[in-house]
Amino acid sequence: FPNASKYGLIVLCKFLERMGYVFIDCQQETTHLTSLGAKLIPRRVFLESIQSALPRAHLIDEMRPYWDAFYKQIVDDPVSIL
């Protein structure tokens, strides 16, 4: 399936956005990631973002029911999340 990895990244981003996450640490600046919307941010901004995200890190286990529902939505209607 062409572009399946791009769709997978979009699905992940949409889900995390719904769960209140504001960034994904890609760790690399590449042309490919930039084409998908990645942006380089100053180290200070990154460190501040990490500090504000840490209190939510424990919520990963609590996300499972939301992910299951989100996954069902994707299977039933793949375009609905876009």
Side-chain angles (χ1 to χ4, degrees), residues 4-44:
S5 64
K6 290 177 186 172
Y7 184 75
L9 181 60
I10 290 168
V11 168
L12 175 63
C13 290
K14 294 288 186 178
F15 176 72
L16 292 175
E17 182 178 67
R18 289 183 185 185
M19 298 305 296
Y21 285 72
V22 294
F23 71 96
I24 295 174
D25 178 9
C26 297
Q27 305 224 345
Q28 303 239 351
E29 182 184 17
T30 67
T31 306
H32 179 66
L33 290 173
T34 302
S35 76
L36 298 174
K39 293 179 177 56
L40 184 64
I41 60 173
R43 180 173 174 75
R44 178 188 55 78

Side-chain angles (χ1 to χ4, degrees), residues 42-65:
R43 180 173 174 75
R44 178 188 55 78
V45 173
F46 172 74
L47 293 174
E48 290 169 359
S49 299
I50 290 289
Q51 285 296 337
S52 68
L54 284 177
R56 284 196 306 268
H58 72 283
L59 296 176
I60 291 174
D61 290 335
E62 297 172 24
M63 291 165 121
R64 183 59 193 230

